[in-house]
Amino acid sequence: MAEAASSAGGTSLEGERGKRPPPEGEPAAPASGVLDKLFGKRLLQAGRYLVSHKAWMKTVPTENCDVLMTFPDTTDDHTLLWLLNHIRVGIPELIVQVRHHRHTRAYAFFVTATYESLLRGADELGLRKAVKAEFGGGTRGFSCEEDFIYENVESELRFFTSQERQSIIRFWLQNLRAKQGEALHNVRFLEDQPIIPELAARGIIQQVFPVHEQRILNRLMKSWVQAVCENQPLDDICDYFGVKIAMYFAWLGFYTSAMVYPAVFGSVLYTFTEADQTSRDVSCVVFALFNVIWSTLFLEEWKRRGAELAYKWGTLDSPGEAVEEPRPQFRGVRRISPITRAEEFYYPPWKRLLFQLLVSLPLCLACLLCVFLLMLGCFQLQELVLSVKGLPRLARFLPKVMLALIVSVSAEGYKKLAIWLNDMENYRLESAYEKHLIIKVVLFQFVNSYLSLFYIGFYLKDMERLKELLLVLSLSQSLERQLRAVLVPLAALRFRLLLLSLRGLLLAARAKVRAGGEPVGPRRGGQRGCAGGLVRRAEGACAKAIWGRPASRCRRLGAHTAECTGRARGGVETRWACPG
């Protein structure tokens, strides 16, 4: 959910409460004296108006917004007006509010729709909804003509989930199409070409994403994230994140539960295995046979479980798309299609094949060769370490740790290379693009992850060394995933908050220079600027204070100034996520 920082200035002033400047005649602290000489007292005084990161995170929810569309800060008025007019004319069901991000100085479209419009959109999309028991139960595609047969259709709050509302709005935005000869700056559209994906691919639209609902997130936090030894709330996950995400976590939970059986059987088998070689060989054969039977049963059970969930969530018999739209990034020469007789982009297949043979294939083979050479280098370093006597026991694991780091770094580098190669191959359809990208990435990941294990297990035939390497690789990859999932986002958030604080310092100093008086900062009890969004103030006449731009420019964007300021009574503040 887009959110707003509230009461930020009070927090920053609270930390200064009780602090008094030293009496005249007393020497200042050494560090303060140096800073005074370098920057002057004005900049230091403006520092107390910086808002701490905790204050930035104090938020209130934004109402009446389902999808957010952001633009770069260099976007001009003509682009905003052109797109806003096309959305109004092409999709009259949508309600679009134009707001300005105060600190990044970028504009955003806050998009939502009324309940009656969403009902018509559900009919167009063929959204499957639950049917009342007296009409047969189950699910079926929504129809406005028979809306009375669906459960909770009388309740605006309960009939559509947030994910369904956002899917309908996304469906409308993705199907906003251009007419013959339309153009925006240097972007020329084909007839019936989708506008939003093309502008997003060109960088004119920065992001289009759904906003969160904090109420539902808090509920999922308690029932899903913080719950221990409880079943996953798959229905709630499906309602909020969609069927694809819910199906992934359903498979993940099913796989984790199924792993209990080989773990228990393997532990029991290991306990009763004798120390002689014959007993070990028999145990390995028995465990291998068990794994074959277990994997077969696991796949069959998951097919049944997946079909059950697909039927429950209404995707079991959903028809596939008859015609797949071309990718917005697809480029080629303009021509008249010999089949549809419409203008389209055409890219000769021989060019793609030539690039695959002369560029993609040699680069992929070169990357695999580099991985193999680096692996041999780590093994040679391992032999050198083992030949040196007197080293601590942990030193023998350093080459293995180095190999694990090489595996992780090379995987990330090759993934970027594979995306670049796929982009250069210029596939027309998204399905073909994803297929070839998966082939490239999976091939390299397989060789990169398992080549060293196959080399030790089948060529060197050193089981002890294989156990050590497998342990190091498993622990290092698990640690790397945890660091990437937790520490990297946290560091990125802290860095953004630091940038916002520095911007607040610069704005305060600039405002003081312009005013020629005391530093301008937030006042207790008054309206305060927010770090991540637009401050909507109650003064309807002060459009410049709201938008951060002259009132005339905001009026050129439509009647949004009066609309937003009229709804802003009570000092509601809005924050949308900073781009990037």
Side-chain angles (χ1 to χ4, degrees):
M1 168 67 75
E3 299 170 342
S6 59
S7 304
T11 306
S12 61
L13 291 176
E14 187 69 25
E16 299 295 328
R17 193 171 297 170
K19 296 182 180 181
R20 297 180 180 178
E24 295 183 0
E26 292 187 10
S32 177
V34 173
L35 292 176
D36 284 346
K37 293 179 181 180
L38 291 176
F39 302 102
K41 294 183 179 180
R42 292 184 178 181
L43 191 60
L44 294 177
Q45 290 174 355
R48 73 171 183 265
Y49 296 105
L50 283 177
V51 183
S52 66
H53 70 279
K54 294 182 179 179
W56 292 129
M57 301 307 294
K58 291 185 177 181
T59 59
V60 294
T62 298
E63 301 295 336
N64 301 325
C65 179
D66 291 301
V67 175
L68 192 62
M69 184 184 303
T70 64
F71 301 87
D73 56 355
T74 57
T75 305
D76 56 4
D77 291 348
H78 173 69
T79 302
L80 296 174
L81 286 169
W82 187 91
L83 183 58
L84 183 62
N85 180 66
H86 275 69
I87 293 177
R88 283 178 169 177
V89 174
I91 319 174
E93 297 87 357
L94 292 182
I95 301 174
V96 183
Q97 298 182 22
V98 184
R99 304 181 187 176
H100 183 254
H101 193 290
R102 180 175 179 181
H103 290 279
T104 61
R105 299 185 178 181
Y107 280 92
F109 287 178
F110 285 64
V111 186
T112 186
T114 62
Y115 180 64
E116 291 75 14
S117 300
L118 290 174
L119 291 176
R120 294 193 295 270
D123 194 350
E124 297 176 17
L125 187 59
L127 189 67
R128 301 187 68 87
K129 297 296 294 182
V131 179
K132 295 179 181 178
E134 56 265 28
F135 296 101
T139 62
R140 57 172 292 185
F142 183 80
S143 174
C144 291
E145 297 178 355
E146 300 176 332
D147 57 356
F148 57 89
I149 70 174
Y150 299 96
E151 291 184 359
N152 301 321
V153 71
E154 301 84 4
S155 175
E156 297 185 10
L157 300 178
R158 298 175 57 190
F159 186 65
F160 288 116
T161 64
S162 62
Q163 184 267 338
E164 290 172 341
R165 293 197 312 268
Q166 293 159 356
S167 297
I168 295 172
I169 294 175
R170 179 181 179 275
F171 171 76
W172 280 332
L173 292 175
Q174 295 291 329
N175 284 275
L176 178 63
R177 299 179 182 273
K179 298 179 182 179
Q180 177 67 32
E182 283 191 320
L184 176 63
H185 298 304
N186 60 340
V187 181
R188 290 183 56 204
F189 295 97
L190 301 177
E191 185 179 3
D192 207 33
Q193 182 180 4
I195 295 177
I196 302 296
E198 179 67 19
L199 295 181
R202 297 294 187 98
I204 297 176
I205 295 177
Q206 195 170 43
Q207 294 182 89
V208 180
F209 56 90
V211 294
H212 280 294
E213 287 194 20
Q214 195 61 41
R215 174 181 56 85
I216 303 179
L217 283 180
N218 293 335
R219 188 175 64 194
L220 287 175
M221 179 68 71
K222 295 179 181 179
S223 63
W224 185 26
V225 179
Q226 298 176 352
V228 180
C229 298
E230 295 184 9
N231 294 329
Q232 298 183 94
L234 295 178
D235 292 334
D236 294 338
I237 298 172
C238 178
D239 291 340
Y240 190 73
F241 293 103
V243 176
K244 184 181 294 186
I245 303 298
M247 191 67 74
Y248 167 74
F249 281 103
W251 175 84
L252 197 62
F254 186 83
Y255 174 73
T256 304
S257 301
M259 287 294 292
V260 174
Y261 300 102
V264 173
F265 183 80
S267 301
V268 173
L269 193 64
Y270 178 79
T271 302
F272 291 98
T273 300
E274 301 294 336
D276 58 287
Q277 187 63 35
T278 303
S279 179
R280 291 182 179 180
D281 294 340
V282 171
S283 298
C284 289
V285 173
V286 171
F287 190 64
L289 293 176
F290 174 83
N291 283 334
V292 171
I293 298 174
W294 169 83
S295 59
T296 304
L297 294 177
F298 168 78
L299 293 176
E300 294 301 321
E301 286 295 322
W302 170 245
K303 289 180 182 178
R304 182 174 182 177
R305 176 61 174 166
E308 177 186 347
L309 293 176
Y311 175 78
K312 182 179 181 181
W313 293 334
T315 59
L316 182 62
D317 54 352
S318 58
E321 296 183 6
V323 179
E324 186 178 356
E325 290 286 347
R327 297 173 57 244
Q329 296 84 356
F330 176 69
R331 294 293 177 266
V333 296
R334 294 173 182 266
R335 72 164 190 176
I336 302 298
S337 173
I339 299 175
T340 62
R341 310 307 300 175
E343 189 180 15
E344 66 175 6
F345 286 117
Y346 175 74
Y347 187 75
W350 65 267
K351 289 186 177 181
R352 182 180 301 112
L353 180 61
L354 191 65
F355 185 87
Q356 290 174 343
L357 294 177
L358 299 182
V359 180
S360 297
L361 184 60
L363 281 179
C364 293
L365 293 178
C367 290
L368 297 178
L369 180 61
C370 289
V371 169
F372 181 72
L373 294 178
L374 289 174
M375 180 199 70
L376 293 181
C378 291
F379 288 159
Q380 292 296 327
L381 181 61
Q382 177 76 21
E383 296 294 338
L384 179 62
V385 170
L386 294 178
S387 62
V388 178
K389 297 182 179 180
L391 291 178
R393 182 177 177 82
L394 293 178
R396 60 184 296 186
F397 288 97
L398 290 180
K400 298 183 178 65
V401 174
M402 185 181 301
L403 178 61
L405 293 177
I406 290 175
V407 168
S408 301
V409 172
S410 57
E412 287 298 318
Y414 180 80
K415 186 177 181 181
K416 295 181 180 179
L417 177 62
I419 293 175
W420 179 79
L421 291 175
N422 240 36
D423 292 337
M424 296 300 296
E425 291 171 7
N426 194 22
Y427 293 99
R428 180 176 180 270
L429 301 180
E430 188 69 29
S431 57
Y433 180 88
E434 293 181 354
K435 174 184 175 182
H436 288 83
L437 180 61
I438 289 173
I439 291 175
K440 293 182 180 70
V441 173
V442 169
L443 175 63
F444 181 83
Q445 293 281 17
F446 179 81
V447 175
N448 186 39
S449 301
Y450 300 109
L451 178 62
S452 57
L453 300 178
F454 276 88
Y455 182 80
I456 295 177
F458 294 98
Y459 184 75
L460 299 180
K461 297 181 181 180
D462 190 345
M463 292 297 106
E464 293 299 327
R465 193 170 176 179
L466 179 63
K467 293 177 183 178
E468 293 179 357
L469 181 60
L470 185 60
L471 176 64
V472 172
L473 289 176
S474 301
L475 293 179
S476 61
Q477 291 179 2
S478 177
L479 179 61
E480 185 231 347
R481 284 193 295 267
Q482 294 297 328
L483 292 177
R484 185 182 302 176
V486 178
L487 292 184
V488 173
L490 180 60
L493 176 61
R494 297 284 181 171
F495 181 71
R496 290 177 185 175
L497 294 177
L498 176 61
L499 291 181
L500 290 174
S501 298
L502 293 177
R503 284 177 180 171
L505 173 60
L506 294 177
L507 288 175
R510 189 180 303 170
K512 179 187 174 182
V513 171
R514 290 178 180 176
E518 291 298 322
V520 178
R523 295 176 295 176
R524 258 176 282 179
Q527 194 71 16
R528 302 174 176 90
C530 61
L534 166 73
V535 179
R536 296 162 55 194
R537 303 181 63 180
E539 296 86 358
C542 189
K544 182 175 180 181
I546 296 174
W547 298 99
R549 296 293 172 91
S552 59
R553 181 180 185 187
C554 295
R555 293 193 185 97
R556 289 200 303 271
L557 295 177
H560 299 294
T561 303
E563 178 184 359
C564 292
T565 54
R567 295 180 182 178
R569 302 188 184 278
V572 180
E573 298 177 343
T574 305
R575 179 173 72 86
W576 44 276
C578 296

